[in-house]
Amino acid sequence: MTLLMILLCMTGQSAQGEDGCFYHEFRLGICLFTSIPAMQMEKDFADICSRAGVGYELDTFAWDWSIEFLRDLSERFRIRGSAGISSFNGSYKKYITMHDRAFSIDAQAFFLVNRGKDISFSAGAGPVYVWVSRNLYSDNTTQAGSGSNIGLIASLRLDQEWPWKIGNMSLLLALEAGYRSNSVVLDNEEADGFEVDFSGPFFKFGSYIGL
Amino acid sequence: MRNTLIVLTVSVLLMIGCVGFGFGSGSSLPFERVTDEFDFDYQLSADGVVDVNVMNCYMNNIRILINGELQTSGSHTSSWDLLDEYGIRVEDGIYYIQIMLDDDVIETDMYEVYK
């Protein structure tokens, strides 16, 4: 799907913004987002802890931030690349803590469903590469595992061009909601099939400057 | 007499403080810290086939301590020498011992293993 969209971008119209729409700008932004990751095996681990009488608590949400770039390729197509970090935690008081971290790089192609002078609405999809680490700490020990995988991400975006500028730089605000699929099986031998699964719906807020 | 009362009062306050702020012996932890082979007890409510496994923090069985042994109801004791199924000492970390009676998990205990 991404290849198809990129192909469409290459062959698509590359018009200037005669109607005042914001085309052809390279934008750099920072995004904060939250997601509800599946984390089924972490939930199973929490269940075992509970059976052992340890009230281990697992977060519901993962928290993320990313650095992103946006570029309009034509009136109807836009690409987005981003690199981000997600974190998901669990703990039993101060004695046991678990940190799942994901470093992800994704590339998405967006089709602009509706484009106004200041607001645009788009839908996109693309691949995401994710590297995951899991660290379980107790007072005297640390157990660490890691792995990587490629997944998919799909989302809807609403972009709002801000009426003011910072110097010569325009400002764009964005809301995005979507779903990502990026579970990772840890590589280390003792993990043997343990899956850290950041897959789930996400909601993102971002601000971008036009360069 | 007055000094004795002061000493008693201070002692009681210290004890209350220690309990209140968790500066006890550490026995309140719901898991044990072990550095070497240890024994553990378990109770069976009925006669049956018993399996006892050690699992790591990834929920994988790393050692079978008792494999399908017919045992009578009551109190039993077993031990773990901190070795895995290959006879290698396990890495430091969190481990579980799971006791099963007739394929049902009847008890799970957590241990922090370190050198």
Side-chain angles (χ1 to χ4, degrees), chain A:
Chain A
M1 183 175 179
T2 305
L3 286 174
L4 176 63
M5 294 192 90
I6 290 172
L7 186 64
L8 288 169
C9 292
M10 303 292 251
T11 57
Q13 190 178 0
S14 181
Q16 291 295 323
E18 293 174 357
D19 58 355
C21 296
F22 47 98
Y23 304 150
H24 299 282
E25 282 194 73
F26 180 83
R27 296 176 186 272
L28 188 65
I30 293 178
C31 296
L32 298 173
F33 58 114
T34 186
S35 61
I36 305 174
M39 294 292 178
Q40 188 53 54
M41 297 198 85
E42 293 293 10
K43 290 174 184 172
D44 293 344
F45 176 72
D47 286 344
I48 287 182
C49 290
S50 296
R51 286 208 299 269
V54 175
Y56 179 82
E57 292 184 356
L58 211 55
D59 289 351
T60 301
F61 298 97
W63 297 96
D64 322 63
W65 66 270
S66 62
I67 296 173
E68 307 194 343
F69 78 84
L70 283 175
R71 174 144 179 102
D72 288 353
L73 295 180
S74 70
E75 283 184 64
R76 287 295 177 189
F77 291 98
R78 171 180 292 165
I79 57 170
R80 189 269 299 280
S82 78
I85 293 175
S86 307
S87 74
F88 182 79
N89 303 310
S91 66
Y92 168 66
K93 296 180 179 176
K94 60 182 181 180
Y95 302 111
I96 297 172
T97 54
M98 181 279 294
H99 301 301
D100 284 344
R101 297 279 182 271
F103 173 71
S104 59
I105 299 172
D106 72 74
Q108 270 186 269
F110 284 90
F111 176 74
L112 283 93
V113 179
N114 191 1
R115 178 168 209 156
K117 186 182 178 198
D118 297 324
I119 295 179
S120 67
F121 180 70
S122 57
V128 53
Y129 169 82
V130 62
W131 180 87
V132 156
S133 68
R134 181 186 195 250
N135 289 285
L136 185 70
Y137 301 99
S138 65
D139 284 352
N140 301 295
T141 70
T142 300
Q143 287 165 291
S146 64
S148 61
N149 197 8
I150 292 175
L152 288 171
I153 186 168
S155 60
L156 301 172
R157 282 178 69 95
L158 183 65
D159 293 285
Q160 164 77 61
E161 186 80 5
W162 204 244
W164 301 288
K165 292 192 172 186
I166 304 171
N168 285 330
M169 294 184 296
S170 60
L171 185 65
L172 181 75
L173 301 178
L175 292 176
E176 184 175 337
Y179 186 89
R180 61 179 173 183
S181 172
N182 55 355
S183 64
V184 174
V185 175
L186 300 183
D187 291 336
N188 39 324
E189 190 180 344
E190 61 271 26
D192 191 25
F194 190 92
E195 190 176 65
V196 177
D197 190 359
F198 273 92
S199 298
F202 67 86
F203 184 78
K204 180 188 291 191
F205 170 77
S207 59
Y208 302 80
I209 51 171
L211 301 174

Side-chain angles (χ1 to χ4, degrees), chain B residues 72-107:
Chain B
T72 56
S73 62
S75 180
H76 295 264
T77 301
S78 187
S79 65
W80 181 33
D81 51 14
L82 307 188
L83 303 181
D84 65 13
E85 60 185 330
Y86 302 108
I88 300 169
R89 192 200 188 274
V90 297
E91 297 288 324
D92 290 359
I94 298 294
Y95 293 86
Y96 299 88
I97 291 180
Q98 196 169 67
I99 295 141
M100 301 173 75
L101 177 63
D102 293 332
D103 293 330
D104 292 325
V105 177
I106 59 166
E107 188 176 331

Side-chain angles (χ1 to χ4, degrees), chain B residues 13-81:
Chain B
L13 286 174
L14 280 173
M15 285 171 65
I16 291 170
C18 285
V19 170
F21 291 101
F23 296 138
S25 62
S27 61
S28 62
L29 283 176
F31 58 90
E32 286 186 38
R33 292 171 164 149
V34 293
T35 58
D36 208 343
E37 181 170 0
F38 65 96
D39 295 333
F40 58 92
D41 301 322
Y42 56 94
Q43 291 282 335
L44 299 181
S45 57
D47 298 355
V49 177
V50 173
D51 294 281
V52 178
N53 300 315
V54 182
M55 298 191 307
N56 65 11
C57 72
Y58 302 104
M59 299 177 293
N60 294 318
N61 281 347
I62 59 154
R63 177 81 182 274
I64 297 171
L65 298 176
I66 297 175
N67 185 15
E69 191 176 298
L70 190 60
Q71 294 187 347
T72 56
S73 62
S75 180
H76 295 264
T77 301
S78 187
S79 65
W80 181 33
D81 51 14

